[in-house]
Amino acid sequence: TGYLGDHKFAPLSGSSQRVRDSLRHHGAQKVLAYFDETSTTDPRWNISHETMREDFDYLLEKVLAEPWLGLVVKPKNPQSFHSRLGPVARLLKKAEETGRCYVYQEADTIQGQYPPAAAALAADVAVHSRLYAATAGVDAALAGIPTLMLDRENFPVSPFYSLGVGQVVFLDLESMWQACLENWE
């Protein structure tokens, strides 16, 4: 039957372009979209808040260090996003103040009403943060945005591995970042 969500790509393009234009207005020349797939206090059941904070610490430090970088964040659970960030929320605030960081936030929703494609269409490259549940990354790729899959949990049985470690699948943010830099150069 095909992908049931592809009807949303065209209607999202206008609002996504406005986000992208705003980031570019503030100096972003390259834009990453990052999909936060939520976290939990108990790492036995999902990614821990600490692991999620490490990811965002890394990305937000890049935004603050690189005046040409923009970041669009699409949290799966926007309502708890800031509390899950804990002390890293201070970095998020600084990054947002640059005008080169945008977070899709919706009030009073457990799961965001914006699909991942909204963030992806505002970016040059999308990064899906959890390979074992790759729907946001697939949404971005089907929207036509180059998409990288981060596999910090070591899920090598994923069919995405056939697309290449170091090309589509990355085991850590540093190697993914280096590949982005090489590609952009």
Side-chain angles (χ1 to χ4, degrees), residues 129 142 181:
S129 64
L142 290 173
L181 290 177

Side-chain angles (χ1 to χ4, degrees), residues 73-86:
V73 178
K74 168 53 181 90
K76 184 172 191 162
N77 187 335
Q79 198 171 32
S80 68
F81 180 61
H82 282 87
S83 65
R84 290 184 295 114
L85 275 177

